[in-house]
Amino acid sequence: MSVVTERRIPGSPVDQRLPLLQLLLVGFQHVLLMYGGAVAVPLIVGQAAGLSREEIAFLINADLLVAGIATLVQSLGIGPVGIRMPVMMGASFAAVGSMVAMAGMPGVGMTGIFGATIAAGFFGMLIAPFMSRIVRFFPPLVTGTVITSIGMCLFPVAINWAGGGKGAVNFGAIEYLALSSFVLAVILLINRFLKGFWVNVSVLIGMLLGYIIGASMGMVSLDGIEQRPWFDVVTPLHFGTPEFHLAPVLSMCLVVVIIFVESTGMFLALGKITETEICPNRLRRGLLCDASASFVAGFMNTFTHSSFAQNIGLVQMTGVRSRYVTAAAAFFLIALSLLPKAAFLVASIPPAVLGGAGIAMFGMVAASGIRILHEADIVDRRNQLLVAVSIGMGMVPVVRPDFFAALPQWMEPITHSGIAMTAIWAVVLNILFNILGEQGRDALCGHH
């Protein structure tokens, strides 16, 4: 099939050069689309770790810098690293559950999270070449279940935000509910009545209007923005020397495997959209970039990085498939990382505004998981059972975080992460029902 494709397009759409203005506009649009997602991870983890707004703003800048560099490498490639396709990189949601659990563990904190990130990135660099073999344990049935679970496990975060934020004195007050509902309504109405560019930036427009209304209701405090410099460079090891604790390291290594599975699925989807064949070699380069970005991220005060699914959706919606567009977007991200006042403004978004957007964003993650499940044989009763039990086990730490309190403490990052629980159950049940089950079915078929 790839031969036919190559014959049809003499120059691949991935290598297409665009006029400068169009390049910058479409590139900036990619930044707008992923900014909310990229900023959400440092916001969630920073709040869970009880950091000040200045420190959360610093986390956001660090994240934007690493995301920008990683996007540049992924788009243009350096030697054996980078898939050389229109891919946007950012801090991965898959690690949020584990990192929030670590932030609450005594003696771990931020330095423990960064240590686990470095170790997991190194582990990812080691396993990336073998990932094409491991992929068979992650068919659409398993990846769809895990991605659905990621969305569902993030819902409590969105709902806490929508009610005014964790620890809000008057949680669930009418003004918080009204503001988060307004943001969600704006996003839904734009998607219903407008097209193209407006749909792509609907989340951003919703958050911007919500921010303005929140500010008029006295929910936005910019105390301290004067003290922030106009220009600042992110320095490595800002929070101190990374620490390596066994349980967090193991749970982050598991997260990297989950990220690899997600990225593999995204790269394959992007290959279909851009009419580019994803051979094992290209896949390895893409995954190596994911892993090395995570490795560097730990030193640069940020978290595990992966490709962003919503940007792959944007490539499909706009039809602009050039990798130079995401390279242009990378320069915007790096520029934003040098402007602390801009990051401070983002850090001061009222939680209720994030809540309205979060319900839509995290819901879309769950919906994309359900879409992937359509590729699996979901009519098969055993596959239905796999999805049911895996997601059920993943919801345990979400519904009752103290459910596994009697288990040893080193298991906490796994038992406290709904995503890790779902992934383990889905892989094990898939091996039991389908991989080992296939051999049994083949033996039966032989008798007929």
Side-chain angles (χ1 to χ4, degrees):
M1 182 193 150
S2 58
V3 181
V4 179
T5 311
E6 278 157 25
R7 214 177 289 152
R8 200 171 66 226
I9 23 177
S12 170
V14 172
D15 298 320
Q16 190 189 355
R17 305 278 175 138
L18 298 174
L20 184 65
L21 182 66
Q22 193 186 349
L23 187 76
L24 293 176
L25 279 176
V26 183
F28 191 59
Q29 190 173 316
H30 270 286
V31 173
L32 296 183
L33 188 65
M34 60 87 70
Y35 196 90
V39 166
V41 177
L43 272 175
I44 297 167
V45 178
Q47 283 170 355
L51 299 183
S52 69
R53 266 196 319 183
E54 284 75 18
E55 285 174 317
I56 291 176
F58 182 87
L59 277 186
I60 290 171
N61 278 358
D63 181 44
L64 293 173
L65 177 67
V66 174
I69 295 167
T71 300
L72 203 55
V73 173
Q74 197 70 286
S75 304
L76 302 181
I78 296 179
V81 183
I83 197 164
R84 297 164 172 80
M85 287 171 74
V87 171
M88 292 295 290
M89 301 281 289
S92 169
F93 274 117
V96 168
S98 301
M99 292 191 297
V100 168
M102 287 175 213
M105 282 168 80
V108 177
M110 295 308 289
T111 49
I113 291 174
F114 296 139
T117 303
I118 292 167
F122 184 68
F123 169 73
M125 284 149 78
L126 295 179
I127 66 162
F130 307 105
M131 201 51 201
S132 50
R133 294 177 211 167
I134 303 173
V135 167
R136 77 187 197 99
F137 293 109
F138 292 92
L141 179 67
V142 174
T143 45
T145 304
V146 172
I147 293 172
T148 304
S149 161
I150 291 174
M152 290 172 71
C153 291
L154 288 172
F155 268 134
V157 174
I159 291 158
N160 273 321
W161 277 343
K166 249 195 180 130
V169 187
N170 48 349
F171 183 85
I174 290 295
E175 57 263 33
Y176 295 141
L177 303 189
L179 186 56
S180 53
S181 305
F182 169 78
V183 173
L184 183 58
V186 169
I187 294 169
L188 295 173
L189 290 170
I190 290 173
N191 278 278
R192 167 64 184 85
F193 293 107
L194 299 175
K195 284 195 178 77
F197 176 78
W198 297 107
V199 168
N200 298 336
V201 294
S202 57
V203 170
L204 198 94
I205 294 170
M207 285 170 71
L208 188 66
L209 293 176
Y211 189 92
I212 294 165
I213 291 174
S216 69
M217 292 163 76
M219 289 187 199
V220 175
S221 158
L222 294 178
D223 299 338
I225 194 164
E226 294 85 15
Q227 284 78 44
R228 304 297 294 158
W230 280 104
F231 181 83
D232 196 16
V233 178
V234 173
T235 46
L237 308 180
H238 176 82
F239 291 87
T241 312
E243 294 170 15
F244 300 91
H245 305 275
L246 183 63
V249 165
L250 289 176
S251 84
M252 283 301 243
C253 287
L254 180 70
V255 165
V256 162
V257 175
I258 295 170
I259 287 173
F260 275 6
V261 173
E262 280 181 42
S263 292
T264 302
M266 287 178 216
F267 294 153
L268 293 171
L270 191 60
K272 286 192 185 114
I273 295 165
T274 57
E275 301 173 10
T276 311
E277 189 193 359
I278 307 292
C279 57
N281 184 29
R282 193 180 271 259
L283 179 61
R284 186 179 75 241
R285 291 200 311 241
L287 296 177
L288 266 175
C289 184
D290 275 14
S292 14
S294 301
F295 180 73
V296 172
F299 293 102
M300 295 302 295
N301 325 291
T302 184
F303 315 110
T304 43
H305 272 56
S306 72
S307 325
F308 266 50
Q310 59 264 48
N311 290 90
I312 290 171
L314 182 60
V315 172
Q316 190 167 15
M317 285 168 84
T318 58
V320 179
R321 300 174 287 185
S322 166
R323 61 199 174 108
Y324 298 109
V325 164
T326 48
F331 285 109
F332 282 119
L333 286 174
I334 294 167
L336 277 169
S337 78
L338 302 171
L339 305 171
K341 283 191 195 289
F344 193 94
L345 276 176
V346 175
S348 66
I349 295 173
V353 171
L354 291 171
I359 289 171
M361 280 198 307
F362 303 156
M364 283 302 279
V365 175
S368 69
I370 294 167
R371 198 192 69 242
I372 293 167
L373 281 174
H374 276 288
E375 296 170 31
D377 179 11
I378 206 71
V379 178
D380 186 320
R381 196 177 170 78
R382 276 174 299 200
N383 289 348
Q384 291 174 11
L385 197 57
L386 178 150
V387 176
V389 172
S390 305
I391 289 183
M393 291 305 293
M395 293 315 288
V396 171
V398 173
V399 178
R400 282 306 295 262
D402 55 351
F403 187 84
F404 293 112
L407 293 180
Q409 197 185 11
W410 60 265
M411 292 177 73
E412 259 184 30
I414 293 169
T415 56
H416 277 213
S417 163
I419 297 158
M421 291 285 289
T422 303
I424 292 168
W425 277 86
V427 169
V428 170
L429 290 177
N430 183 53
I431 291 171
L432 177 70
F433 288 165
N434 295 324
I435 296 177
L436 298 176
E438 248 170 44
Q439 295 158 4
R441 272 179 290 212
D442 290 347
L444 280 173
C445 293
H447 288 302
H448 281 307

PDB file of all heavy atoms in Angstrom, residues 175-189 205-214 217 352-353 356-357:
ATOM      1  N   GLU A 175     -21.853  30.839  42.234  1.00  0.00           N
ATOM      2  CA  GLU A 175     -21.023  31.581  41.258  1.00  0.00           C
ATOM      3  C   GLU A 175     -20.000  30.654  40.580  1.00  0.00           C
ATOM      4  O   GLU A 175     -19.712  30.808  39.397  1.00  0.00           O
ATOM      5  CB  GLU A 175     -20.325  32.784  41.910  1.00  0.00           C
ATOM      6  CG  GLU A 175     -19.442  32.457  43.097  1.00  0.00           C
ATOM      7  CD  GLU A 175     -20.162  32.664  44.441  1.00  0.00           C
ATOM      8  OE1 GLU A 175     -21.396  32.445  44.483  1.00  0.00           O
ATOM      9  OE2 GLU A 175     -19.479  33.042  45.408  1.00  0.00           O
ATOM     10  N   TYR A 176     -19.461  29.660  41.326  1.00  0.00           N
ATOM     11  CA  TYR A 176     -18.508  28.714  40.717  1.00  0.00           C
ATOM     12  C   TYR A 176     -19.224  27.843  39.683  1.00  0.00           C
ATOM     13  O   TYR A 176     -18.723  27.624  38.582  1.00  0.00           O
ATOM     14  CB  TYR A 176     -17.869  27.812  41.781  1.00  0.00           C
ATOM     15  CG  TYR A 176     -17.006  28.547  42.780  1.00  0.00           C
ATOM     16  CD1 TYR A 176     -17.013  28.184  44.128  1.00  0.00           C
ATOM     17  CD2 TYR A 176     -16.166  29.589  42.377  1.00  0.00           C
ATOM     18  CE1 TYR A 176     -16.217  28.849  45.060  1.00  0.00           C
ATOM     19  CE2 TYR A 176     -15.368  30.260  43.300  1.00  0.00           C
ATOM     20  CZ  TYR A 176     -15.399  29.888  44.640  1.00  0.00           C
ATOM     21  OH  TYR A 176     -14.616  30.548  45.548  1.00  0.00           O
ATOM     22  N   LEU A 177     -20.395  27.342  40.072  1.00  0.00           N
ATOM     23  CA  LEU A 177     -21.143  26.461  39.163  1.00  0.00           C
ATOM     24  C   LEU A 177     -21.553  27.234  37.909  1.00  0.00           C
ATOM     25  O   LEU A 177     -21.477  26.715  36.796  1.00  0.00           O
ATOM     26  CB  LEU A 177     -22.384  25.884  39.857  1.00  0.00           C
ATOM     27  CG  LEU A 177     -22.151  25.099  41.159  1.00  0.00           C
ATOM     28  CD1 LEU A 177     -23.431  24.412  41.606  1.00  0.00           C
ATOM     29  CD2 LEU A 177     -21.045  24.055  40.983  1.00  0.00           C
ATOM     30  N   ALA A 178     -21.975  28.498  38.106  1.00  0.00           N
ATOM     31  CA  ALA A 178     -22.411  29.313  36.959  1.00  0.00           C
ATOM     32  C   ALA A 178     -21.234  29.554  36.011  1.00  0.00           C
ATOM     33  O   ALA A 178     -21.375  29.424  34.785  1.00  0.00           O
ATOM     34  CB  ALA A 178     -22.975  30.637  37.451  1.00  0.00           C
ATOM     35  N   LEU A 179     -20.053  29.868  36.584  1.00  0.00           N
ATOM     36  CA  LEU A 179     -18.893  30.182  35.749  1.00  0.00           C
ATOM     37  C   LEU A 179     -18.428  28.946  34.968  1.00  0.00           C
ATOM     38  O   LEU A 179     -18.181  29.020  33.759  1.00  0.00           O
ATOM     39  CB  LEU A 179     -17.753  30.734  36.615  1.00  0.00           C
ATOM     40  CG  LEU A 179     -16.514  31.240  35.872  1.00  0.00           C
ATOM     41  CD1 LEU A 179     -16.889  32.307  34.855  1.00  0.00           C
ATOM     42  CD2 LEU A 179     -15.478  31.794  36.847  1.00  0.00           C
ATOM     43  N   SER A 180     -18.336  27.795  35.654  1.00  0.00           N
ATOM     44  CA  SER A 180     -17.876  26.581  34.949  1.00  0.00           C
ATOM     45  C   SER A 180     -18.901  26.152  33.893  1.00  0.00           C
ATOM     46  O   SER A 180     -18.526  25.716  32.805  1.00  0.00           O
ATOM     47  CB  SER A 180     -17.585  25.441  35.934  1.00  0.00           C
ATOM     48  OG  SER A 180     -18.682  25.220  36.777  1.00  0.00           O
ATOM     49  N   SER A 181     -20.203  26.319  34.211  1.00  0.00           N
ATOM     50  CA  SER A 181     -21.249  25.974  33.225  1.00  0.00           C
ATOM     51  C   SER A 181     -21.163  26.891  32.012  1.00  0.00           C
ATOM     52  O   SER A 181     -21.342  26.450  30.873  1.00  0.00           O
ATOM     53  CB  SER A 181     -22.652  26.100  33.839  1.00  0.00           C
ATOM     54  OG  SER A 181     -22.731  25.311  34.993  1.00  0.00           O
ATOM     55  N   PHE A 182     -20.881  28.168  32.256  1.00  0.00           N
ATOM     56  CA  PHE A 182     -20.762  29.146  31.165  1.00  0.00           C
ATOM     57  C   PHE A 182     -19.628  28.735  30.219  1.00  0.00           C
ATOM     58  O   PHE A 182     -19.793  28.733  28.991  1.00  0.00           O
ATOM     59  CB  PHE A 182     -20.515  30.551  31.732  1.00  0.00           C
ATOM     60  CG  PHE A 182     -20.122  31.555  30.687  1.00  0.00           C
ATOM     61  CD1 PHE A 182     -21.069  32.125  29.845  1.00  0.00           C
ATOM     62  CD2 PHE A 182     -18.786  31.923  30.522  1.00  0.00           C
ATOM     63  CE1 PHE A 182     -20.698  33.038  28.863  1.00  0.00           C
ATOM     64  CE2 PHE A 182     -18.405  32.835  29.552  1.00  0.00           C
ATOM     65  CZ  PHE A 182     -19.367  33.406  28.726  1.00  0.00           C
ATOM     66  N   VAL A 183     -18.458  28.382  30.789  1.00  0.00           N
ATOM     67  CA  VAL A 183     -17.305  27.999  29.969  1.00  0.00           C
ATOM     68  C   VAL A 183     -17.651  26.771  29.123  1.00  0.00           C
ATOM     69  O   VAL A 183     -17.378  26.734  27.913  1.00  0.00           O
ATOM     70  CB  VAL A 183     -16.064  27.724  30.859  1.00  0.00           C
ATOM     71  CG1 VAL A 183     -14.919  27.164  30.025  1.00  0.00           C
ATOM     72  CG2 VAL A 183     -15.631  29.000  31.573  1.00  0.00           C
ATOM     73  N   LEU A 184     -18.281  25.790  29.760  1.00  0.00           N
ATOM     74  CA  LEU A 184     -18.659  24.564  29.035  1.00  0.00           C
ATOM     75  C   LEU A 184     -19.666  24.893  27.927  1.00  0.00           C
ATOM     76  O   LEU A 184     -19.546  24.399  26.797  1.00  0.00           O
ATOM     77  CB  LEU A 184     -19.243  23.540  30.016  1.00  0.00           C
ATOM     78  CG  LEU A 184     -19.631  22.176  29.439  1.00  0.00           C
ATOM     79  CD1 LEU A 184     -18.439  21.493  28.771  1.00  0.00           C
ATOM     80  CD2 LEU A 184     -20.201  21.261  30.527  1.00  0.00           C
ATOM     81  N   ALA A 185     -20.631  25.766  28.242  1.00  0.00           N
ATOM     82  CA  ALA A 185     -21.655  26.142  27.250  1.00  0.00           C
ATOM     83  C   ALA A 185     -21.018  26.832  26.040  1.00  0.00           C
ATOM     84  O   ALA A 185     -21.381  26.551  24.890  1.00  0.00           O
ATOM     85  CB  ALA A 185     -22.693  27.062  27.899  1.00  0.00           C
ATOM     86  N   VAL A 186     -20.038  27.730  26.295  1.00  0.00           N
ATOM     87  CA  VAL A 186     -19.362  28.424  25.181  1.00  0.00           C
ATOM     88  C   VAL A 186     -18.689  27.398  24.264  1.00  0.00           C
ATOM     89  O   VAL A 186     -18.827  27.456  23.037  1.00  0.00           O
ATOM     90  CB  VAL A 186     -18.313  29.438  25.721  1.00  0.00           C
ATOM     91  CG1 VAL A 186     -17.425  29.950  24.595  1.00  0.00           C
ATOM     92  CG2 VAL A 186     -19.017  30.605  26.411  1.00  0.00           C
ATOM     93  N   ILE A 187     -17.981  26.441  24.867  1.00  0.00           N
ATOM     94  CA  ILE A 187     -17.279  25.416  24.075  1.00  0.00           C
ATOM     95  C   ILE A 187     -18.284  24.617  23.231  1.00  0.00           C
ATOM     96  O   ILE A 187     -18.069  24.387  22.034  1.00  0.00           O
ATOM     97  CB  ILE A 187     -16.473  24.483  25.011  1.00  0.00           C
ATOM     98  CG1 ILE A 187     -15.351  25.260  25.696  1.00  0.00           C
ATOM     99  CG2 ILE A 187     -15.897  23.292  24.244  1.00  0.00           C
ATOM    100  CD1 ILE A 187     -14.653  24.524  26.828  1.00  0.00           C
ATOM    101  N   LEU A 188     -19.401  24.228  23.846  1.00  0.00           N
ATOM    102  CA  LEU A 188     -20.412  23.427  23.133  1.00  0.00           C
ATOM    103  C   LEU A 188     -21.055  24.230  22.010  1.00  0.00           C
ATOM    104  O   LEU A 188     -21.234  23.722  20.898  1.00  0.00           O
ATOM    105  CB  LEU A 188     -21.486  22.930  24.114  1.00  0.00           C
ATOM    106  CG  LEU A 188     -21.013  21.944  25.187  1.00  0.00           C
ATOM    107  CD1 LEU A 188     -22.127  21.662  26.191  1.00  0.00           C
ATOM    108  CD2 LEU A 188     -20.542  20.632  24.557  1.00  0.00           C
ATOM    109  N   LEU A 189     -21.382  25.504  22.271  1.00  0.00           N
ATOM    110  CA  LEU A 189     -22.047  26.332  21.255  1.00  0.00           C
ATOM    111  C   LEU A 189     -21.132  26.600  20.062  1.00  0.00           C
ATOM    112  O   LEU A 189     -21.578  26.571  18.912  1.00  0.00           O
ATOM    113  CB  LEU A 189     -22.527  27.654  21.874  1.00  0.00           C
ATOM    114  CG  LEU A 189     -23.706  27.505  22.852  1.00  0.00           C
ATOM    115  CD1 LEU A 189     -23.953  28.806  23.604  1.00  0.00           C
ATOM    116  CD2 LEU A 189     -24.979  27.053  22.114  1.00  0.00           C
ATOM    117  N   ILE A 205     -11.201  29.817  23.673  1.00  0.00           N
ATOM    118  CA  ILE A 205     -12.159  30.936  23.706  1.00  0.00           C
ATOM    119  C   ILE A 205     -13.015  30.833  24.969  1.00  0.00           C
ATOM    120  O   ILE A 205     -13.231  31.830  25.673  1.00  0.00           O
ATOM    121  CB  ILE A 205     -13.047  30.927  22.433  1.00  0.00           C
ATOM    122  CG1 ILE A 205     -12.193  31.203  21.191  1.00  0.00           C
ATOM    123  CG2 ILE A 205     -14.155  31.973  22.548  1.00  0.00           C
ATOM    124  CD1 ILE A 205     -12.920  30.969  19.881  1.00  0.00           C
ATOM    125  N   GLY A 206     -13.481  29.624  25.270  1.00  0.00           N
ATOM    126  CA  GLY A 206     -14.283  29.406  26.484  1.00  0.00           C
ATOM    127  C   GLY A 206     -13.530  29.843  27.732  1.00  0.00           C
ATOM    128  O   GLY A 206     -14.077  30.535  28.604  1.00  0.00           O
ATOM    129  N   MET A 207     -12.236  29.457  27.795  1.00  0.00           N
ATOM    130  CA  MET A 207     -11.429  29.806  28.974  1.00  0.00           C
ATOM    131  C   MET A 207     -11.160  31.309  29.042  1.00  0.00           C
ATOM    132  O   MET A 207     -11.162  31.901  30.114  1.00  0.00           O
ATOM    133  CB  MET A 207     -10.117  29.016  28.966  1.00  0.00           C
ATOM    134  CG  MET A 207     -10.326  27.560  29.363  1.00  0.00           C
ATOM    135  SD  MET A 207      -8.869  26.518  29.102  1.00  0.00           S
ATOM    136  CE  MET A 207      -7.782  27.110  30.375  1.00  0.00           C
ATOM    137  N   LEU A 208     -10.951  31.923  27.875  1.00  0.00           N
ATOM    138  CA  LEU A 208     -10.665  33.359  27.835  1.00  0.00           C
ATOM    139  C   LEU A 208     -11.886  34.163  28.313  1.00  0.00           C
ATOM    140  O   LEU A 208     -11.761  35.047  29.169  1.00  0.00           O
ATOM    141  CB  LEU A 208     -10.280  33.771  26.405  1.00  0.00           C
ATOM    142  CG  LEU A 208      -9.780  35.192  26.231  1.00  0.00           C
ATOM    143  CD1 LEU A 208      -8.450  35.376  26.961  1.00  0.00           C
ATOM    144  CD2 LEU A 208      -9.601  35.538  24.761  1.00  0.00           C
ATOM    145  N   LEU A 209     -13.081  33.821  27.785  1.00  0.00           N
ATOM    146  CA  LEU A 209     -14.301  34.520  28.212  1.00  0.00           C
ATOM    147  C   LEU A 209     -14.569  34.256  29.693  1.00  0.00           C
ATOM    148  O   LEU A 209     -14.963  35.156  30.440  1.00  0.00           O
ATOM    149  CB  LEU A 209     -15.497  34.067  27.354  1.00  0.00           C
ATOM    150  CG  LEU A 209     -15.448  34.479  25.879  1.00  0.00           C
ATOM    151  CD1 LEU A 209     -16.622  33.892  25.115  1.00  0.00           C
ATOM    152  CD2 LEU A 209     -15.461  36.011  25.743  1.00  0.00           C
ATOM    153  N   GLY A 210     -14.334  32.999  30.125  1.00  0.00           N
ATOM    154  CA  GLY A 210     -14.516  32.644  31.539  1.00  0.00           C
ATOM    155  C   GLY A 210     -13.582  33.445  32.433  1.00  0.00           C
ATOM    156  O   GLY A 210     -13.960  33.898  33.518  1.00  0.00           O
ATOM    157  N   TYR A 211     -12.353  33.637  31.955  1.00  0.00           N
ATOM    158  CA  TYR A 211     -11.333  34.395  32.707  1.00  0.00           C
ATOM    159  C   TYR A 211     -11.802  35.835  32.900  1.00  0.00           C
ATOM    160  O   TYR A 211     -11.718  36.390  34.000  1.00  0.00           O
ATOM    161  CB  TYR A 211     -10.010  34.341  31.938  1.00  0.00           C
ATOM    162  CG  TYR A 211      -8.815  34.893  32.683  1.00  0.00           C
ATOM    163  CD1 TYR A 211      -8.017  34.053  33.455  1.00  0.00           C
ATOM    164  CD2 TYR A 211      -8.464  36.235  32.597  1.00  0.00           C
ATOM    165  CE1 TYR A 211      -6.909  34.550  34.132  1.00  0.00           C
ATOM    166  CE2 TYR A 211      -7.359  36.739  33.260  1.00  0.00           C
ATOM    167  CZ  TYR A 211      -6.580  35.890  34.030  1.00  0.00           C
ATOM    168  OH  TYR A 211      -5.489  36.382  34.705  1.00  0.00           O
ATOM    169  N   ILE A 212     -12.311  36.426  31.813  1.00  0.00           N
ATOM    170  CA  ILE A 212     -12.772  37.829  31.877  1.00  0.00           C
ATOM    171  C   ILE A 212     -13.932  37.957  32.871  1.00  0.00           C
ATOM    172  O   ILE A 212     -13.950  38.850  33.727  1.00  0.00           O
ATOM    173  CB  ILE A 212     -13.189  38.325  30.471  1.00  0.00           C
ATOM    174  CG1 ILE A 212     -11.942  38.392  29.555  1.00  0.00           C
ATOM    175  CG2 ILE A 212     -13.875  39.688  30.550  1.00  0.00           C
ATOM    176  CD1 ILE A 212     -12.253  38.520  28.074  1.00  0.00           C
ATOM    177  N   ILE A 213     -14.905  37.019  32.773  1.00  0.00           N
ATOM    178  CA  ILE A 213     -16.063  37.074  33.686  1.00  0.00           C
ATOM    179  C   ILE A 213     -15.622  36.786  35.119  1.00  0.00           C
ATOM    180  O   ILE A 213     -16.044  37.460  36.064  1.00  0.00           O
ATOM    181  CB  ILE A 213     -17.151  36.079  33.210  1.00  0.00           C
ATOM    182  CG1 ILE A 213     -17.754  36.590  31.892  1.00  0.00           C
ATOM    183  CG2 ILE A 213     -18.250  35.927  34.261  1.00  0.00           C
ATOM    184  CD1 ILE A 213     -18.728  35.653  31.255  1.00  0.00           C
ATOM    185  N   GLY A 214     -14.716  35.789  35.275  1.00  0.00           N
ATOM    186  CA  GLY A 214     -14.193  35.469  36.610  1.00  0.00           C
ATOM    187  C   GLY A 214     -13.509  36.675  37.236  1.00  0.00           C
ATOM    188  O   GLY A 214     -13.660  36.951  38.434  1.00  0.00           O
ATOM    189  N   MET A 217     -15.918  39.097  38.514  1.00  0.00           N
ATOM    190  CA  MET A 217     -16.577  38.620  39.740  1.00  0.00           C
ATOM    191  C   MET A 217     -15.592  38.600  40.923  1.00  0.00           C
ATOM    192  O   MET A 217     -15.912  38.098  42.000  1.00  0.00           O
ATOM    193  CB  MET A 217     -17.137  37.207  39.511  1.00  0.00           C
ATOM    194  CG  MET A 217     -18.301  37.157  38.527  1.00  0.00           C
ATOM    195  SD  MET A 217     -18.604  35.473  37.902  1.00  0.00           S
ATOM    196  CE  MET A 217     -19.419  34.704  39.290  1.00  0.00           C
ATOM    197  N   ALA A 352     -12.721  27.390  38.635  1.00  0.00           N
ATOM    198  CA  ALA A 352     -14.034  27.126  38.020  1.00  0.00           C
ATOM    199  C   ALA A 352     -13.957  27.183  36.493  1.00  0.00           C
ATOM    200  O   ALA A 352     -14.635  26.428  35.793  1.00  0.00           O
ATOM    201  CB  ALA A 352     -15.068  28.123  38.533  1.00  0.00           C
ATOM    202  N   VAL A 353     -13.097  28.086  35.969  1.00  0.00           N
ATOM    203  CA  VAL A 353     -12.927  28.190  34.510  1.00  0.00           C
ATOM    204  C   VAL A 353     -12.263  26.914  33.983  1.00  0.00           C
ATOM    205  O   VAL A 353     -12.693  26.323  32.991  1.00  0.00           O
ATOM    206  CB  VAL A 353     -12.069  29.433  34.153  1.00  0.00           C
ATOM    207  CG1 VAL A 353     -11.708  29.436  32.671  1.00  0.00           C
ATOM    208  CG2 VAL A 353     -12.822  30.707  34.521  1.00  0.00           C
ATOM    209  N   GLY A 356     -14.836  23.974  33.809  1.00  0.00           N
ATOM    210  CA  GLY A 356     -15.711  23.894  32.636  1.00  0.00           C
ATOM    211  C   GLY A 356     -14.979  23.333  31.433  1.00  0.00           C
ATOM    212  O   GLY A 356     -15.497  22.478  30.705  1.00  0.00           O
ATOM    213  N   ALA A 357     -13.727  23.804  31.230  1.00  0.00           N
ATOM    214  CA  ALA A 357     -12.922  23.312  30.105  1.00  0.00           C
ATOM    215  C   ALA A 357     -12.499  21.870  30.348  1.00  0.00           C
ATOM    216  O   ALA A 357     -12.468  21.050  29.431  1.00  0.00           O
ATOM    217  CB  ALA A 357     -11.697  24.201  29.919  1.00  0.00           C
TER     218      ALA A 357
END
